[in-house]
Amino acid sequence: MMKFPALRNRLGTSGLIVFWFLFVPVLLPAQPRVAIMSIDTLWYPEVLVNLDITCGGEKRFDVQRSHLTLYENGSEVSTLTFYCPPPDEKCCLSVALVIDGSGSIHGPILDSIKAAAEMFVSGLDGDCDYASVIVFRGYVHTIVPWTNDVQRLLNGIKGIYASGPGALYDGVGRGIEELLNKEGWECQAVVVISDNGFDNASTKYTLQSCIESARANKIRIFPIQVAEGGKGNDAAFTALARGTGGKTYMGISMSNLRKIFDDLRGLMRRHFDYCAISYWPECPDGTRRNVAVAVGDPEAYCGGEAQADLTYTTAFRKDQLEAIVLETVDTRVATTDTARLIVRIPWRYDSLTIEANSIDVVYDLQCMEFLGVDFLGTALEKCSMTVELDSLGAHLVFDTTVTVTAPSILGRFLFKPIGNTSARCNVEFAFAGLRTPCRYFQETGATVEIVPVMGTRALEVPVFQVDAFPNPFGPDAWSGRDAIRVRIIASREFRAVVNLYDARGNRVKTLARGIFPPGKHLLHLGGSGLDNGVYFIVVETGNLRKAVPVVFMK
């Protein structure tokens, strides 16, 4: 203590300040933190923003509506509701266990399903957690109605047996009905267990009606497929989960089934662990929107401020939007010319912000060949694009957002007539992949009239088209893929050989040889053994040869 005055004299005032911060603890005020955990749009027209809010690192549920502000695309949202679950309140479960009892479930598979279901039920608290057990075969049977009696649920599961066909969708629908009869539960879900996910006996419900009913009532569906190796109706299970905010478990082994059931309890209650903002945005136009949340008030909450943001894609409802009908003009060309179909944005739209994801061009492949799109000086001039051809036409893929000042040309679509005969070729444009605020682009079409050139020998209709993608390919290419797909679309049966040549004209390998029936054919070319450089994939049939240049990068 006696040394301090001497030290003070040597350090001076500034030295004392440094000494104070180095050796004397300083208590800083707690600071808030906010994180947007998810944005749920399944319950349109309501959008739910789930927030994790802490103060000084401690999770808080005492945040008030006055402590936060919500912005969408930079504009404040004034009409909203805010809710934080009481920290001492438990979210009671309400679960419909829907179990496949068809003949394909038997022996060890059925025993494992029953054991896992018994484990799940045994984890219910016997008080506020409720469940029902439903079995579907050629019919649906609620073997244990909604109850919190754990022993009754266990007894019902033990008595399940397998026989007959499977009415999967009727079973899921019955599970939804069970939950709707007992309204008021926050943490409610349908858990459906099957070995394959196929339905061959439902009479009341369909896949779509199950999704719509669950979504309308905020019921999540968790499908579990217990077939080893994932052999089943993946599409149906994925649609049930994705369409309702649930989760799909595919090809689950018997040894993992118990763990899945244990995880499900946490998943059902997870959203109840967060505060939530709900609001009703305008214009369900399918566009991407940025949501930002600011939390804090220096005098009222946690002594500071914090903010977070996240981008989501809003729902798309055409019946609530204004339609934009893009203008096209029919054209007339000779068989030796190139047809240019111009698609124009109407003059009455002063400016549009367009999210360009894709355009589908459907045309008769026997009538015209798609050459590409001329975007020079058009609305999409700065967009990068890839083209995928299929049996219906061309699929144009973009990944950009542009601002268009009308009147403006969207693009010039180029076609080459096939043959030397008169024809009327119809072209349909689908713009579902173009999004703009509060409007949508309506499908439109045009007609190309083809006039033969007199005195010209009739031209043979090309028997095939060929392309390759991704291009370039290889580990160092933009796609990162070490293989390329060669697509051949045949208008009629033909015999051909498909070879790969290097830039010097040396044949590297033969990809295919034989007869190609009408339709689409895919060949795969791996990069193993190839050096960097340009190669040519050549399809040869009789006197006709078509070559596609490709680039390999490694």
Side-chain angles (χ1 to χ4, degrees), residues 76-77 97 138 206 264 283 297-298 302 333 381 431 451 491 494 525:
E76 182 176 349
V77 178
L97 286 176
T206 63
L264 282 174
C283 301
D297 184 331
C302 198
V333 296
E381 180 176 9
F431 303 107
V451 181
S491 61
F494 70 101
L525 169 63

Side-chain angles (χ1 to χ4, degrees), residues 359-393:
I359 298 175
D360 288 311
V361 186
V362 180
Y363 59 95
D364 185 354
L365 275 66
Q366 306 297 322
C367 190
M368 295 189 302
E369 179 182 355
F370 181 71
L371 300 180
V373 188
D374 176 12
F375 285 133
L376 184 62
T378 71
L380 303 179
E381 180 176 9
K382 297 181 180 180
C383 300
S384 59
M385 177 194 69
T386 59
V387 179
E388 300 176 1
L389 299 177
D390 57 30
S391 59
L392 295 178

Side-chain angles (χ1 to χ4, degrees), residues 94-101 113-114 117-118 120-122 124 130-137 140-161 171 174-175 178-179 189-191 193 261:
S94 179
V95 183
L97 286 176
V98 180
I99 299 175
D100 188 345
I113 290 175
K114 291 164 67 172
E118 290 171 359
F120 178 82
V121 167
S122 297
L124 303 179
Y130 279 70
S132 60
V133 180
I134 298 162
V135 175
F136 64 89
R137 302 183 183 92
V140 178
H141 177 42
T142 303
I143 59 176
V144 183
W146 199 67
T147 181
N148 63 352
D149 187 334
V150 173
Q151 190 57 53
R152 186 180 176 192
L153 292 166
L154 291 173
N155 292 338
I157 294 171
K158 291 181 185 298
I160 296 176
Y161 63 91
R174 177 73 64 84
E178 279 286 310
L179 298 180
V190 172
V191 178
I193 316 161
F261 269 85

Side-chain angles (χ1 to χ4, degrees), residues 176-215:
I176 295 171
E177 292 173 4
E178 279 286 310
L179 298 180
L180 293 182
N181 290 333
K182 309 295 186 296
E183 297 180 357
W185 257 248
E186 288 285 339
C187 299
Q188 57 181 354
V190 172
V191 178
V192 54
I193 316 161
S194 174
D195 66 331
N196 55 43
F198 290 107
D199 185 297
N200 55 13
S202 289
T203 58
K204 182 178 180 181
Y205 283 90
T206 63
L207 173 63
Q208 189 59 35
S209 64
C210 287
I211 294 172
E212 291 174 354
S213 179
R215 181 185 293 177

Side-chain angles (χ1 to χ4, degrees), residues 24-41:
V24 179
V26 178
L27 297 178
L28 298 176
Q31 294 295 313
R33 177 186 173 276
V34 60
I36 300 178
M37 306 306 296
S38 64
I39 299 178
D40 293 337
T41 60

Side-chain angles (χ1 to χ4, degrees), residues 231-299:
K231 298 178 181 178
N233 190 2
D234 297 8
F237 272 170
T238 300
L240 284 170
R242 185 176 296 171
T244 62
K247 182 178 179 180
T248 308
Y249 299 90
M250 303 300 297
I252 301 302
S253 65
M254 299 303 104
S255 59
N256 290 331
L257 196 55
R258 288 173 175 263
K259 182 180 183 301
I260 295 300
F261 269 85
D262 194 38
D263 291 342
L264 282 174
R265 280 193 294 269
L267 286 173
M268 294 175 196
R269 288 193 171 108
R270 183 174 61 184
H271 73 283
F272 197 74
D273 294 335
Y274 305 122
C275 298
I277 298 174
S278 63
Y279 71 105
W280 293 262
E282 298 180 351
C283 301
D285 51 28
T287 57
R288 290 189 293 268
R289 303 184 186 183
N290 180 263
V291 170
V293 177
V295 176
D297 184 331
E299 297 182 0

